[in-house]
Amino acid sequence: MFDIAVIIINYNSSKLTKECVESILEKTAENLSFQIIVVDNCSEKEDYIFLKTFCESHYFQNLQLIRSKINTGFGGGNMMGYQFANAKYIAFVNNDTLVLNDCLSILKSAIEKDSAIAMVGGQSYSENGERMVAFDHFASISKEIFGRDFLEKINPTKYPKRKIEYTNPIKVNYVQGSFIFIRAIDFNNVGGFDTNIFLYYEETDLSKRLKRIGKSCYLIPEAKYIHYHGASTPQNITIKTELKISLLYIIRKHYGFGSFYFMLNYLRINYIISTLFKPKYGYLLKVLLAGAPLSKSLKTKQVIKEVEQ
């Protein structure tokens, strides 16, 4: 068994994946036992061939490439990779990240200090070296309506300020999905990622389920990495719609149908107004008027095709 299994998802961005893997191998201590599992989420042929060539020619023996015939999304892709993991700890790392120091050793050391800690994450930076927000508060009606700044002002203990610099570990609701480090046993006990979610809010869902079994999450500022935010995911109205579908699914799952319908109607009103000024929101509004069901998710829009293995 390895100390750590690193799981990385690739989707039509193999050059980023290559750089991510190389940064981990360069910065990680030689005495740390770890494996790297790369899951290709049904990329185009050229992108996959580049990735396959890189993985097969690399000197690191514990590098494994898994190819999926369908795009299973963030949670699904990570769960697919997890089936090949054999480690005490799991690091789910976005392929658009570069570690700046020995993040794996630092996070392993931090999580081992307290058995109540299930999940930790490091401090992210932009490619320009600017510190980025590395943790967030749980999805909720109050967060959507009043905003994060208001919650942090009225209850700073429950909602620590996200935009200030921390030098010591701090307890948070959840760390960003770009770099999640978690105990395998705790991940198992809550059932891993909810694969009903195709994209977005996977971290808040996982952290809320961990909290229910008495487990906590911490930001470890000493671990530092670059995150090319959004580099692996195109930003368009379809993706924005997916964001709202996932949000409403999380609200219904964790807060009940009353909260779900309140949030749904709140968003409907907002986007009725927005569509008057920005017609591009018409598709999103249509999905909201239909109740934002999972059947409208990108997960259900795929056509399974033969792919090169």
Coordinates of all heavy atoms in Angstrom, one line a residue, residues 55-103:
C55 N 2.7 9.3 -20.6 CA 2.6 8.4 -19.5 C 3.4 7.1 -19.7 O 4.1 6.6 -18.8 CB 1.2 8.0 -19.2 SG 0.2 9.4 -18.5
E56 N 3.4 6.6 -20.9 CA 4.1 5.3 -21.2 C 5.6 5.5 -21.3 O 6.3 4.6 -21.0 CB 3.6 4.8 -22.6 CG 2.2 4.2 -22.5 CD 1.7 3.7 -23.8 OE1 2.3 4.0 -24.9 OE2 0.7 3.0 -23.8
S57 N 6.0 6.7 -21.6 CA 7.5 7.0 -21.7 C 8.1 7.5 -20.5 O 9.3 7.7 -20.4 CB 7.7 7.9 -22.9 OG 7.1 9.2 -22.6
H58 N 7.3 7.8 -19.4 CA 7.8 8.4 -18.2 C 8.6 7.4 -17.3 O 8.2 6.2 -17.2 CB 6.7 9.1 -17.4 CG 7.2 10.2 -16.6 ND1 7.8 10.1 -15.4 CD2 7.3 11.6 -16.9 CE1 8.2 11.2 -14.9 NE2 7.9 12.2 -15.8
Y59 N 9.6 7.9 -16.7 CA 10.4 7.0 -15.8 C 9.7 6.6 -14.5 O 10.0 5.6 -13.9 CB 11.7 7.7 -15.4 CG 11.5 8.9 -14.5 CD1 11.5 8.7 -13.1 CD2 11.3 10.2 -14.9 CE1 11.3 9.8 -12.2 CE2 11.1 11.3 -14.1 CZ 11.1 11.0 -12.7 OH 10.9 12.1 -11.9
F60 N 8.7 7.4 -14.1 CA 8.0 7.1 -12.8 C 7.1 5.9 -13.0 O 6.1 5.9 -13.7 CB 7.2 8.3 -12.4 CG 6.5 8.2 -11.0 CD1 7.3 8.1 -9.9 CD2 5.2 8.1 -10.9 CE1 6.8 7.9 -8.6 CE2 4.6 8.0 -9.6 CZ 5.4 7.9 -8.5
Q61 N 7.5 4.8 -12.3 CA 6.8 3.5 -12.5 C 5.4 3.5 -12.0 O 4.5 2.7 -12.5 CB 7.6 2.4 -11.9 CG 9.0 2.1 -12.5 CD 9.7 0.9 -11.9 OE1 9.3 0.5 -10.9 NE2 10.7 0.5 -12.6
N62 N 5.1 4.3 -11.0 CA 3.8 4.3 -10.4 C 2.8 5.3 -11.0 O 1.9 5.8 -10.3 CB 3.9 4.5 -8.9 CG 4.7 3.5 -8.2 OD1 4.7 2.3 -8.5 ND2 5.6 3.9 -7.2
L63 N 3.0 5.5 -12.3 CA 2.1 6.4 -13.0 C 1.2 5.6 -13.9 O 1.7 4.8 -14.7 CB 2.9 7.4 -13.9 CG 2.2 8.3 -14.9 CD1 1.2 9.2 -14.2 CD2 3.2 9.1 -15.7
Q64 N -0.1 5.7 -13.7 CA -1.1 4.8 -14.4 C -2.1 5.7 -15.1 O -2.6 6.7 -14.6 CB -1.8 3.9 -13.4 CG -2.8 2.9 -14.0 CD -3.3 2.0 -13.0 OE1 -3.1 2.2 -11.7 NE2 -4.1 1.0 -13.4
L65 N -2.4 5.4 -16.4 CA -3.4 6.1 -17.2 C -4.6 5.2 -17.4 O -4.5 4.1 -17.8 CB -2.8 6.5 -18.5 CG -3.7 7.2 -19.5 CD1 -4.3 8.5 -19.0 CD2 -3.0 7.4 -20.9
I66 N -5.8 5.8 -17.1 CA -7.1 5.1 -17.2 C -7.9 5.9 -18.3 O -7.9 7.1 -18.2 CB -7.9 5.1 -15.9 CG1 -7.0 4.5 -14.8 CG2 -9.1 4.2 -16.1 CD1 -6.5 3.1 -15.0
R67 N -8.5 5.2 -19.2 CA -9.2 5.9 -20.3 C -10.7 5.6 -20.1 O -11.1 4.4 -20.1 CB -8.7 5.4 -21.6 CG -9.5 5.8 -22.9 CD -9.3 7.2 -23.2 NE -9.5 7.4 -24.7 CZ -9.8 8.6 -25.2 NH1 -10.0 9.6 -24.5 NH2 -9.9 8.7 -26.5
S68 N -11.6 6.6 -20.1 CA -13.0 6.4 -20.0 C -13.6 6.7 -21.4 O -13.2 7.5 -22.1 CB -13.6 7.4 -19.0 OG -15.0 7.3 -19.0
K69 N -14.7 5.9 -21.7 CA -15.4 6.0 -23.0 C -16.4 7.2 -22.9 O -16.9 7.5 -24.0 CB -16.0 4.7 -23.4 CG -15.1 3.6 -23.8 CD -15.9 2.4 -24.3 CE -14.9 1.4 -24.8 NZ -15.6 0.2 -25.4
I70 N -16.7 7.7 -21.7 CA -17.6 8.8 -21.6 C -17.0 9.8 -20.6 O -16.1 9.5 -19.8 CB -19.0 8.3 -21.1 CG1 -18.8 7.6 -19.7 CG2 -19.7 7.5 -22.1 CD1 -20.2 7.3 -19.1
N71 N -17.4 11.0 -20.8 CA -17.0 12.1 -19.8 C -17.9 11.9 -18.6 O -19.1 12.3 -18.6 CB -17.2 13.5 -20.5 CG -16.7 14.6 -19.6 OD1 -16.5 14.4 -18.4 ND2 -16.6 15.8 -20.1
T72 N -17.3 11.5 -17.5 CA -18.1 11.2 -16.3 C -18.1 12.4 -15.3 O -18.6 12.3 -14.2 CB -17.5 10.0 -15.6 OG1 -16.1 10.2 -15.3 CG2 -17.7 8.7 -16.4
G73 N -17.5 13.5 -15.7 CA -17.5 14.7 -14.9 C -16.5 14.6 -13.8 O -15.6 13.7 -13.8
F74 N -16.5 15.6 -12.9 CA -15.4 15.7 -11.9 C -15.6 14.6 -10.9 O -14.6 13.8 -10.7 CB -15.6 17.0 -11.1 CG -14.6 17.2 -10.0 CD1 -13.3 17.7 -10.3 CD2 -14.9 16.9 -8.7 CE1 -12.4 17.9 -9.2 CE2 -14.0 17.1 -7.7 CZ -12.7 17.6 -7.9
G75 N -16.7 14.4 -10.3 CA -16.9 13.4 -9.3 C -16.8 12.0 -9.9 O -16.1 11.1 -9.3
G76 N -17.4 11.8 -11.0 CA -17.4 10.5 -11.6 C -16.0 10.1 -12.1 O -15.6 8.9 -11.9
G77 N -15.3 11.0 -12.6 CA -13.9 10.8 -13.1 C -13.0 10.4 -11.9 O -12.2 9.5 -12.0
N78 N -13.1 11.1 -10.8 CA -12.3 10.8 -9.6 C -12.7 9.5 -9.0 O -11.8 8.8 -8.5 CB -12.5 12.0 -8.6 CG -11.6 13.1 -8.9 OD1 -10.4 13.0 -9.1 ND2 -12.2 14.3 -8.9
M79 N -14.0 9.2 -9.0 CA -14.4 7.9 -8.5 C -13.9 6.7 -9.4 O -13.5 5.7 -8.9 CB -15.9 7.8 -8.4 CG -16.5 8.7 -7.3 SD -15.9 8.4 -5.6 CE -16.7 6.8 -5.3
M80 N -13.8 7.0 -10.7 CA -13.2 6.0 -11.5 C -11.7 5.7 -11.2 O -11.3 4.6 -11.1 CB -13.4 6.4 -13.0 CG -12.9 5.4 -14.0 SD -13.2 5.9 -15.7 CE -12.6 4.4 -16.6
G81 N -11.0 6.8 -11.0 CA -9.6 6.7 -10.7 C -9.4 6.1 -9.3 O -8.5 5.3 -9.1
Y82 N -10.3 6.4 -8.4 CA -10.2 5.9 -7.0 C -10.3 4.4 -7.0 O -9.7 3.7 -6.1 CB -11.4 6.5 -6.2 CG -11.3 6.1 -4.7 CD1 -10.2 6.6 -3.9 CD2 -12.2 5.3 -4.1 CE1 -10.1 6.2 -2.6 CE2 -12.1 5.0 -2.7 CZ -11.1 5.5 -2.0 OH -11.0 5.1 -0.7
Q83 N -10.9 3.7 -7.9 CA -11.0 2.3 -8.0 C -9.6 1.6 -8.1 O -9.4 0.5 -7.8 CB -11.9 1.8 -9.1 CG -13.3 2.2 -8.9 CD -14.2 1.8 -10.1 OE1 -14.4 0.6 -10.3 NE2 -14.7 2.7 -10.8
F84 N -8.6 2.4 -8.6 CA -7.3 1.9 -8.8 C -6.3 2.4 -7.7 O -5.1 2.1 -7.8 CB -6.8 2.3 -10.2 CG -7.6 1.8 -11.3 CD1 -8.7 2.5 -11.8 CD2 -7.3 0.5 -11.9 CE1 -9.5 2.0 -12.8 CE2 -8.1 0.0 -12.9 CZ -9.2 0.7 -13.4
A85 N -6.9 3.1 -6.7 CA -6.0 3.6 -5.7 C -5.8 2.6 -4.6 O -6.7 1.8 -4.3 CB -6.7 4.9 -5.0
N86 N -4.6 2.6 -4.1 CA -4.2 1.7 -3.0 C -3.3 2.4 -2.0 O -2.1 2.3 -2.0 CB -3.5 0.4 -3.6 CG -3.1 -0.5 -2.5 OD1 -3.7 -0.7 -1.5 ND2 -2.0 -1.2 -2.7
A87 N -4.0 3.3 -1.2 CA -3.2 4.2 -0.4 C -4.0 4.6 0.8 O -5.3 4.5 0.9 CB -2.8 5.5 -1.2
K88 N -3.3 5.1 1.8 CA -4.0 5.6 3.1 C -4.6 6.9 2.9 O -5.6 7.2 3.5 CB -2.9 5.6 4.2 CG -3.5 6.0 5.6 CD -2.4 5.9 6.6 CE -2.9 6.3 8.0 NZ -1.8 6.2 9.0
Y89 N -4.0 7.7 2.0 CA -4.5 9.1 1.8 C -4.7 9.3 0.3 O -4.0 8.7 -0.5 CB -3.6 10.2 2.3 CG -3.3 10.1 3.8 CD1 -2.1 9.5 4.2 CD2 -4.2 10.5 4.7 CE1 -1.8 9.4 5.6 CE2 -4.0 10.4 6.1 CZ -2.8 9.8 6.5 OH -2.5 9.7 7.8
I90 N -5.7 10.1 -0.1 CA -6.0 10.4 -1.5 C -5.8 11.9 -1.7 O -6.4 12.7 -1.0 CB -7.4 9.9 -1.9 CG1 -7.7 8.5 -1.4 CG2 -7.6 10.1 -3.4 CD1 -6.8 7.5 -2.0
A91 N -5.1 12.2 -2.8 CA -5.0 13.6 -3.2 C -5.7 13.8 -4.6 O -5.3 13.2 -5.6 CB -3.6 14.1 -3.3
F92 N -6.9 14.5 -4.6 CA -7.6 14.8 -5.8 C -7.0 16.1 -6.3 O -7.3 17.2 -5.7 CB -9.1 14.8 -5.6 CG -9.7 13.5 -5.1 CD1 -10.0 13.3 -3.8 CD2 -9.9 12.5 -6.0 CE1 -10.5 12.1 -3.4 CE2 -10.4 11.3 -5.6 CZ -10.7 11.1 -4.3
V93 N -6.3 16.1 -7.4 CA -5.6 17.3 -7.9 C -6.1 17.6 -9.3 O -6.1 16.8 -10.2 CB -4.1 17.0 -7.9 CG1 -3.3 18.3 -8.4 CG2 -3.6 16.6 -6.6
N94 N -6.5 18.9 -9.5 CA -6.9 19.4 -10.8 C -5.7 19.4 -11.7 O -4.6 19.7 -11.3 CB -7.5 20.8 -10.7 CG -8.9 20.8 -10.5 OD1 -9.5 19.9 -10.0 ND2 -9.6 21.9 -10.8
N95 N -5.9 19.1 -13.0 CA -4.7 19.0 -13.9 C -4.2 20.4 -14.3 O -3.1 20.5 -14.8 CB -5.1 18.2 -15.2 CG -6.0 19.0 -16.1 OD1 -6.8 19.8 -15.7 ND2 -5.8 18.8 -17.4
D96 N -5.0 21.5 -13.9 CA -4.5 22.8 -14.2 C -3.8 23.4 -13.0 O -4.0 24.6 -12.6 CB -5.6 23.7 -14.7 CG -6.8 23.8 -13.8 OD1 -6.9 23.0 -12.8 OD2 -7.7 24.6 -14.1
T97 N -3.1 22.6 -12.2 CA -2.3 23.1 -11.1 C -0.9 22.7 -11.2 O -0.5 21.7 -11.8 CB -2.9 22.5 -9.8 OG1 -2.7 21.0 -9.8 CG2 -4.4 22.8 -9.6
L98 N 0.0 23.5 -10.5 CA 1.4 23.2 -10.4 C 1.8 23.4 -9.0 O 1.6 24.4 -8.4 CB 2.2 24.2 -11.3 CG 2.0 24.2 -12.8 CD1 2.8 25.3 -13.4 CD2 2.4 22.8 -13.4
V99 N 2.3 22.3 -8.3 CA 2.7 22.5 -6.9 C 4.0 23.3 -6.8 O 4.9 23.2 -7.7 CB 2.9 21.1 -6.2 CG1 1.6 20.3 -6.2 CG2 4.0 20.3 -6.9
L100 N 4.1 24.2 -5.8 CA 5.2 25.1 -5.6 C 6.2 24.5 -4.6 O 7.3 25.0 -4.5 CB 4.7 26.4 -5.2 CG 3.9 27.2 -6.3 CD1 3.4 28.5 -5.7 CD2 4.8 27.5 -7.5
N101 N 5.7 23.6 -3.7 CA 6.6 23.0 -2.8 C 6.1 21.5 -2.6 O 5.2 21.1 -3.3 CB 6.6 23.8 -1.5 CG 5.2 24.0 -0.8 OD1 4.3 23.4 -1.2 ND2 5.2 24.9 0.2
D102 N 6.6 20.9 -1.6 CA 6.2 19.5 -1.3 C 4.8 19.4 -0.7 O 4.7 19.0 0.5 CB 7.3 18.8 -0.5 CG 7.1 17.3 -0.4 OD1 6.2 16.8 -1.0 OD2 7.9 16.6 0.3
C103 N 3.8 19.7 -1.4 CA 2.4 19.7 -0.9 C 2.0 18.4 -0.3 O 1.4 18.4 0.7 CB 1.5 20.1 -2.0 SG 1.5 21.9 -2.5

